[in-house]
Amino acid sequence: MTEKVAIVTGSNKGLGFAVVKGLCQKYAGTVYLTARNETRGLEAVKKLNEDGLKPEFHVLDVCDSDSIKNFANYIKTKHGGFDVLVNNAAILEWDEVYPSYEAAKRNINCNYRSLLKLEEYLYPLLRDNGRVVNISSACGHPSNIKNKHWIDTLVNKDVTTDDINSFVDGYLESVRNGTFNMNDFADEGKHAEHRVSKIALTALTMVQQRKYYKRNISINAVDPGHIKTEMAQGGGVLEPDEAAKAVLYLILEASPNLKGIFMGQDKKLIDWYDTEGDYYCKGIW
């Protein structure tokens, strides 16, 4: 019987580390803790080893195409494929509430475009009946947007990757040429780059689900809540282990019929199409 394999990106600390820990405790298969920094990744593995848990480690920088290709080749050679992917790796540069073009591009490249590269190189190895969880946030709901054209584009049930890329590129171009309008976003457009990257990630979840539906692969997005991590300078309220519960639920317990949804930390479904709802990220910076 083929051995099951689970992969968690950006998992040397915070939510990713908590997900790896939970999987090591309950998942019947090999669990990969990945990180872009080898030293920090191995230190994280050592912590889990001290608790009697045995994750595997591999370097993976989701912002580097060569790193993704190398990792994919490793998984193909050693395991032939994999069954679970948690796309957790992300950045947020707190100091730039209204970021420069370069800072905005870094955020979007890491938090959104990396998923396109992961799909290109890793998804061919994703086995039938697999599960993917994309880590979004309160920033990842379309209620963060006030621009009607963008809203109508993203909540269209036939939205495409090209549509999402146009949304992302339009935002970046506005930052580059100085036409950025804070009124296009909630909360005076603070950290619009993060809102754009997470909205794009959530929308991509639904696009990917349509692509892989016939193979019974479940691809879902989660808002894990405001977590006490280095990224949460506004003062997180949830411990990573608590925030990981919804992610672990989607991997270990949820019906395989639960597909292409956006789930909250409380395991309740978030209505993607309720653009007037009170879902958006509010002034935590």
Side-chain angles (χ1 to χ4, degrees):
M1 185 174 177
T2 304
E3 180 187 26
K4 298 284 189 181
V5 177
I7 298 162
V8 185
T9 71
S11 49
N12 62 290
K13 60 183 179 181
L15 176 63
F17 182 83
V19 171
V20 168
K21 180 167 69 172
L23 287 174
C24 285
Q25 292 168 340
K26 298 179 180 179
Y27 185 68
T30 298
V31 180
Y32 275 90
L33 184 155
T34 70
R36 60 184 175 181
N37 182 288
E38 183 174 16
T39 299
R40 291 174 185 169
L42 291 173
E43 286 173 354
V45 168
K46 184 178 178 182
K47 284 183 186 177
L48 292 171
N49 289 164
E50 290 169 357
D51 291 334
L53 303 175
K54 305 292 185 183
E56 297 291 327
F57 173 72
H58 200 283
V59 171
L60 175 60
D61 182 352
V62 300
C63 300
D64 184 326
S65 294
D66 287 339
S67 180
I68 296 172
K69 282 191 274 188
N70 289 339
F71 180 62
N73 287 335
Y74 173 84
I75 292 296
K76 182 177 181 179
T77 300
K78 184 162 185 179
H79 301 284
F82 70 100
D83 306 272
V84 170
L85 174 63
V86 179
N87 286 311
N88 172 70
I91 62 169
L92 174 55
E93 297 180 37
W94 280 96
D95 293 341
E96 297 199 42
V97 176
Y98 296 101
S100 66
Y101 172 73
E102 290 301 325
K105 189 166 70 170
R106 279 195 298 273
N107 183 287
I108 286 168
N109 284 348
C110 182
N111 297 358
Y112 167 64
R113 295 197 200 281
S114 65
L115 270 69
L116 301 177
K117 288 297 182 183
L118 287 162
E119 181 180 2
E120 180 180 354
Y121 296 116
L122 268 181
Y123 280 41
L125 305 176
L126 183 57
R127 298 183 181 118
D128 291 356
N129 308 309
R131 300 196 177 199
V132 177
V133 180
N134 294 328
I135 305 302
S136 187
S137 76
C139 287
H141 189 272
S143 57
N144 285 273
I145 309 172
K146 301 304 176 187
N147 181 300
K148 187 176 185 305
H149 170 69
W150 288 347
I151 291 172
D152 290 346
T153 297
L154 293 164
V155 301
N156 186 320
K157 292 188 177 181
D158 295 319
V159 64
T160 66
T161 303
D162 286 344
D163 293 331
I164 301 169
N165 289 340
S166 292
F167 160 63
V168 167
D169 292 341
Y171 161 71
L172 284 173
E173 179 61 18
S174 76
V175 176
R176 190 189 67 79
N177 65 24
T179 61
F180 169 73
N181 182 358
M182 65 175 61
N183 295 319
D184 282 338
F185 296 90
D187 199 23
E188 300 177 324
K190 295 173 183 173
H191 282 296
E193 85 290 356
H194 200 65
R195 299 176 198 269
V196 168
S197 69
K198 289 298 185 179
I199 291 166
L201 173 148
T202 313
L204 183 66
T205 300
M206 299 167 195
V207 173
Q208 290 180 336
Q209 181 62 85
R210 294 201 309 267
K211 286 186 189 178
Y212 298 96
Y213 186 87
K214 290 183 179 179
R215 294 177 53 203
N216 199 36
I217 293 170
S218 300
I219 304 178
N220 297 302
V222 173
D223 170 10
H226 195 29
I227 310 169
K228 294 179 182 177
T229 66
E230 291 178 12
M231 192 179 288
Q233 292 192 6
V237 297
L238 291 173
E239 295 295 341
D241 286 350
E242 184 67 22
K245 288 181 178 179
V247 182
L248 293 168
Y249 169 76
L250 284 171
I251 297 168
L252 301 170
E253 301 175 46
S255 165
N257 296 321
L258 201 60
K259 289 178 165 66
I261 57 89
F262 190 14
M263 178 175 281
Q265 186 273 331
D266 56 4
K267 300 178 188 174
K268 293 180 180 178
L269 301 190
I270 299 171
D271 186 352
W272 173 256
Y273 301 99
D274 182 9
T275 59
E276 300 296 324
D278 188 24
Y279 300 109
Y280 67 91
C281 193
K282 305 170 186 70
I284 60 171
W285 12 81

